[in-house]
């Protein structure tokens, strides 16, 4: 089916955050960092598309402050394919803008919409999943999403309840979405896990350009309409900050009919913060994980996460379960289970000495 | 008495070691580091002598590899006052060489012999102690040493058992040394502490040039004689590696008669390793100590020792009792009570990647 239909990719790179401080800064968010290997996360995201979607059919939506980084890290993507958000407005405006842009160039296309900061392996299997989802989206004109089989009762993700099966596409089985569920508390997350009928909402989507525009028009006209009226980039830049800041999940997916989901049978991580590095990097015999290229020398030390640049050495003696990060001229040391409190440091530095954030 | 007698200082800077790795390296041992403030330990040692012993009467004995560092850090000391050990032979040859050098220039002098890497405060009180000891040494022609009142049952120091009092010099009381005791085990150290009659051997000495040369001639002729025969620096360089490697304590002090000791009534630390920094640097309200000039931001963190250069930031979240050091391109993280195992890391790096040591 997709033999007749152009596939496009939208890489959403508008994220900012400090959960990877001190490596991530306001100026350089996580997607632009070598968190999980020799390439940055956005470079891995682009490379993962391989020949399935060539660079000229990839759009990147990024904050205007990060456009230079996108161009530098993804030099093959044509400059006109980088959409500069004047200000972050969550994912619905981002999806709408990209859909309008693609519609202008290729109205009959199918799009895959991907966060720029996930780690997914292996890439060939991923491309098979994308093709299966694109076939499904083209043929059914449904909005299609990927759902991750939960491995623990996570409270940090939204969930998708599976409905009836719509059969298979290649090796992928397609299900109806019964409902989307916002991030649950621990008890509900445990129930979800026990039933086997819930998947994590991955934030990855596949749909035809026509279908997502129709869905936006129906469910989020206050997002789509102002952007639809713009004829120039300057008009978008002026209009974008005025549209509602809403996620595509809340704005469209939870309201749309006939949404389908494909369970994601391969390795996936959104690398939420430093303690997640063991999901995406190999560990030594003592469970220590090292990223960034530094040499790590560990003595009687177990289960630590280290990130420091190539050409440096990090020596651990008798420590367990620590996060040790060196980036720029900053060092962070904290237990893995306290990583969420790094925010407190970042907030303090924001007030006292904002150059560090 | 010392009004008639020239006072000279011998600063022993031959120490090398890696207990302050990664700040200390073979190329830059502890005495050349800013461990306890804005000046390096050897700079503090020299400055502490003040006007009592001016730079032209200070000798520094250092390993030949460190002579350039000595010249750079102590520019006021005349170049001919820096004695370059071709190889380390412990303290007896170092004392002998310096004594011969001083005898050549000022045979009737009194010398103070000081390690280069101790922290002693306040300096004016220290100079009063030096003057008292010099008076005692000049008048009695005894070898005089300083003893530190023990504050805990240390097993890392030699001890001095006090004999009868020889009265006071200024505010200092002078005692006979009953005996020197090698580093004890814990049980004996506790006994020593309980009696109140034992002091730590500080490794600081005061004696007349004539008296130390006589004592070396009597108790360590195999050290003194070969050096005494040398007439040029080149001859010393050739001879030095052939003399026995022996400490002045074992070679002379333990054998000499009539040795006297002055209890050291002021603040002293030999800053043995990273966990000793709280002895010489102020702590914050949570007992965290920061050296080196870095900004430390601590959240729910207590009793940590941090050392990193000015212009850097070290963020601690939820950690306790850790040593966190950044120096050059290396980072060390270890609990304070595991600091002795840093040696294992250093040994490993010495084999695998000696550039780091």
């Amino acid at each position: 089916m997709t033999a007749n239909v152009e596939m496009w990719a939208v890489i959403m790179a508008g994220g900012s955050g400090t959960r990877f401080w001190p490596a991530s800064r306001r100026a350089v968010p996580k997607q632009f960092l070598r968190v999980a290997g020799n390439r940055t996360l956005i470079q891995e995201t682009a490379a993962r598309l391989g020949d399935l979607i060539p660079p000229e059919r990839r759009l990147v939506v990024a904050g205007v402050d990060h456009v230079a980084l996108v161009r530098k890290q993804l030099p093959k993507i044509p400059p006109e394919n980088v959409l500069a958000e004047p200000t972050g407005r969550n994912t619905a405006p981002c999806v709408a803008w990209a859909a309008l842009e693609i519609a202008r160039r290729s109205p009959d296309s199918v799009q895959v919409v991907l966060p720029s900061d996930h780690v997914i392996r292996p890439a060939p299997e991923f491309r098979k999943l994308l093709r299966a989802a694109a076939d499904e989206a083209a043929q059914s004109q449904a909005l299609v999403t990927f759902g991750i089989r939960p491995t623990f009762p996570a409270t940090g993700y939204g969930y998708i309840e599976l409905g009836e099966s719509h059969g298979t596409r290649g090796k992928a089985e397609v299900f109806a979405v019964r409902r989307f569920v916002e991030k649950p508390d621990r008890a509900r997350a445990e129930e979800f896990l026990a039933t086997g009928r819930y998947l994590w909402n991955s934030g990855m989507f596949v749909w035809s350009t026509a279908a997502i525009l129709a869905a936006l028009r129906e469910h989020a006209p206050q997002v789509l309409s102002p952007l639809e009226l713009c004829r120039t980039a300057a008009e978008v830049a002026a209009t974008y900050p005025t549209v509602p800041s809403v996620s595509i999940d809340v704005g469209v997916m939870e309201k749309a009919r006939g949404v389908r989901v494909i369970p994601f049978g391969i390795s996936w991580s959104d690398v939420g913060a430093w303690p997640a590095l063991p999901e995406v990097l190999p560990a030594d015999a003592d469970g220590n994980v090292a990223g960034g290229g530094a040499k790590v020398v560990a003595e009687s030390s177990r289960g630590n996460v280290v990130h420091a640049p190539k050409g440096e050495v990090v020596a651990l003696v008798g420590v367990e379960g620590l996060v040790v990060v060196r980036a720029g001229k900053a060092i962070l040391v904290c237990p893995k289970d306290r990583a969420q409190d790094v925010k407190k440091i970042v907030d303090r530095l924001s007030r006292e000495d904002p150059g560090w954030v």
Side-chain angles (χ1 to χ4, degrees), chain A residues 2 25 39 43 82 149 287 302 312 319:
Chain A
T2 48
R25 305 286 179 100
R39 291 188 293 206
Q43 284 174 327
V82 181
R149 293 239 175 255
R302 285 201 307 272
E312 308 216 340
V319 293

Side-chain angles (χ1 to χ4, degrees), chain A residues 29-345:
Chain A
K30 169 188 160 202
Q31 58 271 29
F32 301 110
L33 299 177
R34 287 171 186 78
V35 166
N38 291 326
R39 291 188 293 206
T40 68
L41 291 178
I42 197 172
Q43 284 174 327
E44 288 208 16
T45 300
R48 205 177 289 133
L49 298 170
D51 292 336
L52 183 66
I53 305 174
E56 60 274 15
R57 294 208 309 267
R58 301 174 191 163
L59 295 192
V60 179
V61 190
V64 66
D65 292 343
H66 301 134
V67 166
L69 269 174
V70 171
R71 289 202 207 290
K72 191 175 164 200
Q73 296 197 357
L74 301 175
K76 287 192 203 153
I77 292 187
E80 67 272 21
N81 284 19
V82 181
L83 309 186
E85 291 180 309
T87 180
R89 301 304 285 164
N90 211 327
T91 48
C94 159
V95 164
W97 187 9
L100 289 166
E101 186 64 28
I102 294 173
R104 210 170 49 75
R105 306 197 211 171
S106 180
D108 298 326
S109 53
V110 167
Q111 318 173 5
V112 307
V113 177
L114 305 168
S116 57
D117 58 352
H118 292 180
V119 172
I120 293 164
R121 293 167 184 161
E125 293 302 310
F126 176 60
R127 289 193 289 271
K128 283 182 196 161
L129 279 168
L130 288 184
R131 178 168 286 277
D135 285 345
E136 178 67 26
Q139 225 167 50
S140 70
Q141 290 296 306
L143 306 181
V144 180
T145 183
F146 291 111
I148 314 295
R149 293 239 175 255
T151 50
F152 68 100
T155 57
Y157 301 125
Y159 284 71
I160 295 168
E161 188 181 359
L162 289 172
E164 72 280 17
S165 173
H166 281 275
T168 56
R169 294 268 173 195
K171 287 190 204 161
E173 185 160 10
V174 182
F175 292 86
V177 169
R178 186 166 187 148
R179 60 174 180 137
F180 287 88
V181 188
E182 301 270 322
K183 294 174 186 177
D185 61 20
R186 177 82 188 189
R188 290 192 75 208
E190 281 172 358
E191 285 171 34
F192 292 168
L193 188 63
T195 66
R197 299 289 301 165
Y198 287 83
L199 305 177
W200 292 336
N201 185 347
S202 71
M204 295 184 282
F205 309 100
V206 182
W207 42 53
S208 74
T209 302
I212 186 61
L213 286 173
L216 282 160
R217 197 164 286 118
E218 181 176 355
H219 303 294
Q222 70 287 18
V223 170
L224 184 68
S225 302
L227 297 175
E228 210 167 12
L229 296 172
C230 297
R231 276 156 308 174
T232 64
E235 283 183 29
V236 175
T239 305
Y240 204 83
T242 70
V243 305
S245 179
V246 58
S247 73
I248 192 70
D249 299 273
V250 170
V252 173
M253 301 306 283
E254 295 181 3
K255 295 169 183 158
R257 292 171 303 279
V259 177
R260 301 193 179 178
V261 60
I262 296 180
F264 203 69
I266 61 176
S267 167
W268 171 91
S269 171
D270 69 346
V271 212
W274 291 119
L277 281 204
E279 297 172 13
V280 298
L281 287 172
D284 72 10
D286 296 317
N288 299 303
V289 164
K295 178 185 175 80
V296 174
V297 202
E299 184 70 40
S300 320
S301 294
R302 285 201 307 272
N304 300 286
V305 169
V306 176
H307 201 270
K310 207 173 166 202
E312 308 216 340
V313 71
V314 178
L316 306 176
V317 180
V319 293
E320 201 170 327
L322 287 185
V323 170
V324 177
V325 179
R326 159 82 181 177
K329 290 184 174 295
I331 293 171
L332 167 70
V333 180
C334 90
K336 285 196 281 190
D337 59 10
R338 294 293 298 269
Q340 73 281 4
D341 291 336
V342 172
K343 194 176 166 356
K344 292 183 188 168
I345 291 282

